[in-house]
Amino acid sequence: MPNKDRPLVDRHAPKKGVGWLVNTQQGKVCSFTNANPTSHAQWVVVEMRPLRGGGQPVIRRMLRHNAIEAWETMQKSGGWKRCQPKW
């Protein structure tokens, strides 16, 4: 039997998109991308790479709430600013 009180539209659907941060002092750029959710959790792929030149990117997979905390901490700590995706 369907729940009559449940709204027809999911108001908290996961955002589809990518968030980018750049730190010119450290010469790094970081991207946060929503990954495919599993039945147990929602994941975010965090990729950090040098701004210029080659070098291996550091790729991590984090739970969504940990990635949100990392995003906010990076912006508050100074040096990290939002940017447009260029890489």
Side-chain angles (χ1 to χ4, degrees):
M1 187 166 173
N3 186 355
K4 294 179 186 177
D5 298 329
R6 197 174 77 201
L8 296 175
V9 178
D10 184 9
R11 303 250 183 238
H12 301 287
K15 294 181 181 177
K16 294 180 181 178
V18 178
W20 291 81
L21 294 174
V22 65
N23 188 327
T24 54
Q25 295 170 348
Q26 294 181 7
K28 294 183 180 180
V29 65
C30 186
S31 71
F32 290 75
T33 308
N34 288 332
N36 293 333
T38 64
S39 60
H40 300 290
Q42 292 182 345
W43 293 94
V44 175
V45 176
V46 180
E47 181 177 347
M48 191 173 296
R49 62 176 60 228
L51 246 169
R52 303 203 194 312
Q56 295 293 328
V58 177
I59 301 172
R60 293 189 175 122
R61 192 171 167 215
M62 304 173 88
L63 289 172
R64 186 175 184 275
H65 69 275
N66 291 339
I68 290 170
E69 185 178 326
W71 173 273
E72 292 171 354
T73 302
M74 289 170 76
Q75 288 185 319
K76 289 178 185 176
S77 67
W80 291 96
K81 306 282 184 203
R82 291 187 77 165
C83 69
Q84 296 295 321
K86 300 177 185 176
W87 296 269

